[in-house]
Amino acid sequence: MRGLFRLRDAEKGHPEVKLWFEAHDSELGGIALKWFDALRMCGDDVTEVLHDNQPTACVNKAAFAYVDVFKAHVNLGFFHGVELPDPDGLLVGTGKFMRHVKLSPKFSVDEDALLKLVQASCEDIRQRLEAEHAS
């Protein structure tokens, strides 16, 4: 199991994340906020930080997902995406560890399946933290 990526400045309601969303007040920004809110709703242990100019969600300061807005789409990325169950084939990318889902008003995505992926990503980090603590 790969190690955790820690972001020590992560906190609830990080002010830089708020400013980022204010600067991305557009249709795509709204999509990014919708899914970042889904990340936030994963539990009381979820914190956030702006990392590499991307709003990033963490569990106890261990990163599990991020959003980013591009010209024509939004990425909802998962730090350990390559290891996540993805029966609906939502994840794209060829990175060694990370995968993402492309979101756009121009094409639809199964939101229930995506929500399951969000929850699986968060739970994956919780399990990694538990394993780390147990060792």
Side-chain angles (χ1 to χ4, degrees), residues 16-107:
E16 289 181 356
V17 171
K18 180 181 179 190
L19 291 172
W20 188 94
F21 280 109
E22 288 173 0
H24 291 83
D25 185 22
S26 63
E27 185 175 25
L28 291 175
I31 293 170
L33 180 57
K34 172 183 177 173
W35 288 101
F36 199 74
D37 281 344
L39 299 173
R40 288 171 168 152
M41 296 300 293
C42 284
D44 291 337
D45 55 351
V46 175
T47 56
E48 61 194 52
V49 67
L50 198 64
H51 172 71
D52 284 346
N53 201 36
Q54 299 166 330
T56 303
C58 304
V59 174
N60 294 327
K61 303 190 186 256
F64 73 94
Y66 68 91
V67 296
D68 203 357
V69 172
F70 295 92
K71 185 176 181 178
H73 73 279
V74 171
N75 274 1
L76 173 56
F78 301 93
F79 284 88
H80 296 270
V82 73
E83 298 176 23
L84 293 176
D86 183 23
D88 296 286
L90 299 177
L91 293 169
V92 296
T94 58
K96 206 171 185 180
F97 304 110
M98 296 176 74
R99 293 288 184 274
H100 62 274
V101 177
K102 286 188 178 184
L103 305 167
S104 169
K106 295 180 182 177
F107 49 85

